[in-house]
Amino acid sequence: MNNAVKKIGFLVHPRDNTDFLRKFPYLSFLPKQALAFLTKHMPPVVVSEITGLNTKEGIAIPGYIIAITMTARQMMEDRSFALKKIIQAVRFAKRKGVGIIGLGALTASLSKGGLDVASEVGGIGVTTGRAYTTKTVTDYVKKCIDDFGFDKAKVKIAVVGAGGSIGSSSAKILAAWGVKNFLFIDLKKRAEHLKKNVEHMSSVHFEAKIEITHAIKDIKGWDIVITATNAPEALVSSDDILPGTIIINDAQPSDIPENVIRERNDILVIEGGVIHTPGIKCNFNLGLAGKEDTFCCLGEVLVLARDGHFDNYALGELNMDLVAHVETVAKDLLFSISRFQNSVQKHIPEVQIEKVRGIIKERCSERLLQNL
């Protein structure tokens, strides 16, 4: 089959039963135990078709959003079974003519960054979306630094999940851009990953000041917080967040509880993995503000197919050259970060943005006075 007519695929899973029942509402009568059995054992399904993507020559590239029906909690509780379902779904996609598939949400982290899938299923390209996700997260951070008047040499950035690929790669890009103050946060069992990342940052970016902690509460007082974990449930509580904090949330499922987003109008929780893709639609409710908004891990598949790349990409440890590559192709497609939105309010109200801007301005003024 010619590369130009190969299909694309994107693999997703429900965050919880609510997501599953949104697609299959007629199953809502089932008792919880039966529903749990069904979500764990159902075969992979096509939930929608992706439309609007063309090759550089103008030929339509068909695509599917494919789901395994295990919830995030089920996947984390039975990782080996989840991996079997992921591999089953990729084989399903291959039979449907998919030439490259993106691993969304937990499907990437539970397959060792796609390596387990690539070793089991040949003849189909696999990508994790990590290259484009890293670019998108850092674009949101840079925009916030510029829009809210921070000095990039003085702004304090905390990274939750700094032992992982997205967190560590985002910190490297921001340090190269001129950010100097970082707090790295991850679980104690990931201490070696944290140490490795700090050593690399310190050797390349000598002026970077990096603190390490295993306690989420230590984000209190930091200006911008990147959350990039694969935890099945929210990690950050309202008590951890001071007024004026900006959170770039790239965790799926979210690291920020819905009640925090609803109740705290003195902070900003921005979806950090959302891009605007003009002319391209997923034809499925991804829970985003616009019909032409999508997640950047799917965006990476779109970019690669547009470029005629149907081989494995961004598997395992992220090569930073891949970030620059997807950035170049994404510009050709006119992709960009979206207007600020979150999982509750959709587009964040301008009045809330201005309120947070005022708090940040006052805080920066206080710091300036303290340093005189």
Side-chain angles (χ1 to χ4, degrees):
M1 186 185 297
N2 187 291
N3 273 359
V5 297
K6 284 185 178 179
K7 301 174 183 177
I8 60 172
F10 184 58
L11 185 58
V12 300
H13 63 81
R15 291 166 292 189
D16 50 34
N17 287 340
T18 301
D19 279 351
F20 177 81
L21 293 174
R22 187 181 296 121
K23 179 63 180 177
F24 304 104
Y26 52 86
L27 296 174
S28 59
F29 72 92
L30 290 175
K32 287 184 178 180
Q33 189 172 1
L35 186 61
F37 180 86
L38 187 63
T39 55
K40 186 169 182 177
H41 294 281
M42 266 184 69
V45 295
V46 173
V47 296
S48 73
E49 294 188 1
I50 303 166
T51 57
L53 179 66
N54 298 313
T55 66
K56 294 176 182 177
E57 296 75 26
I59 301 171
I61 302 176
Y64 303 110
I65 293 183
I66 296 170
I68 61 171
T69 57
M70 289 181 75
T71 65
R73 181 178 291 279
Q74 286 176 323
M75 293 175 73
M76 294 299 289
E77 289 175 347
D78 194 344
R79 295 182 178 218
S80 60
F81 188 77
L83 178 58
K84 291 179 181 178
K85 300 298 287 187
I86 293 167
I87 291 171
Q88 180 188 26
V90 173
R91 287 179 174 147
F92 171 72
K94 181 182 175 183
R95 290 196 298 271
K96 292 190 72 65
V98 171
I100 187 167
I101 189 167
L103 303 180
L106 293 177
T107 64
S109 60
L110 292 182
S111 60
K112 294 180 183 175
L115 293 173
D116 286 339
V117 175
S119 66
E120 289 290 330
V121 188
I124 181 172
V126 179
T127 182
T128 59
R130 289 175 174 172
Y132 202 177
T133 299
T134 298
K135 171 190 160 37
T136 303
V137 167
T138 52
D139 279 354
Y140 274 107
V141 174
K142 291 176 181 179
K143 181 171 176 58
C144 287
I145 289 173
D146 290 340
D147 285 4
F148 290 88
F150 289 110
D151 180 339
K152 66 182 178 182
K154 297 179 180 179
V155 66
K156 299 169 63 179
I157 296 183
V159 184
V160 182
S165 178
I166 301 300
S168 60
S169 299
S170 296
K172 292 173 187 175
I173 289 176
L174 292 171
W177 186 62
V179 174
K180 301 184 185 304
N181 300 294
F182 294 92
L183 175 67
F184 281 5
I185 307 166
D186 216 315
L187 301 173
K188 290 182 179 179
K189 65 182 181 181
R190 296 185 66 83
E192 284 303 313
H193 292 275
L194 281 176
K195 181 180 178 182
K196 177 183 176 182
N197 291 339
V198 170
E199 288 175 348
H200 175 83
M201 286 268 292
S202 299
S203 65
V204 177
H205 307 289
F206 303 107
E207 295 183 350
K209 300 174 183 177
I210 307 167
E211 300 177 32
I212 295 179
T213 182
H214 303 297
I216 288 288
K217 63 180 179 61
D218 290 339
I219 67 172
K220 186 177 290 186
W222 288 72
D223 300 311
I224 298 175
V225 180
I226 298 171
T227 57
T229 77
N230 58 8
E233 53 192 32
L235 294 172
V236 180
S237 73
S238 186
D239 292 339
D240 299 326
I241 313 167
L242 289 182
T245 302
I246 298 174
I247 299 173
I248 309 298
N249 181 34
D250 181 55
Q252 290 292 337
S254 175
D255 278 340
I256 316 299
E258 281 198 6
N259 68 296
V260 173
I261 301 174
R262 292 183 188 281
E263 296 168 7
R264 294 290 301 272
N265 66 353
D266 59 350
I267 65 172
L268 295 181
V269 179
I270 300 169
E271 288 295 306
V274 180
I275 55 172
H276 183 62
T277 56
I280 297 173
K281 296 181 181 179
C282 295
N283 302 297
F284 179 68
N285 182 6
L286 294 172
L288 302 177
K291 291 182 179 180
E292 293 184 346
D293 288 346
T294 191
F295 291 110
C296 48
C297 42
L298 169 53
E300 184 163 296
V301 182
L302 301 173
V303 164
L304 293 176
R306 168 73 168 196
D307 200 38
H309 185 106
F310 287 86
D311 299 317
N312 294 336
Y313 197 86
L315 302 187
E317 188 171 343
L318 180 59
N319 181 332
M320 300 303 288
D321 290 340
L322 302 183
V323 180
H325 175 243
V326 296
E327 179 176 11
T328 300
V329 184
K331 286 180 180 177
D332 182 51
L333 283 164
L334 303 180
F335 289 179
S336 64
I337 58 174
S338 175
R339 179 180 159 195
F340 291 164
Q341 60 182 278
N342 59 44
S343 59
V344 173
Q345 299 162 303
K346 304 309 178 188
H347 287 136
I348 300 175
E350 191 62 33
V351 64
Q352 182 175 350
I353 294 174
E354 289 306 312
K355 180 174 182 176
V356 172
R357 190 189 310 279
I359 296 171
I360 291 171
K361 184 177 181 180
E362 183 176 342
R363 179 192 297 166
C364 290
S365 297
E366 290 175 355
R367 285 182 185 171
L368 184 62
L369 290 173
Q370 290 172 359
N371 293 328
L372 290 178

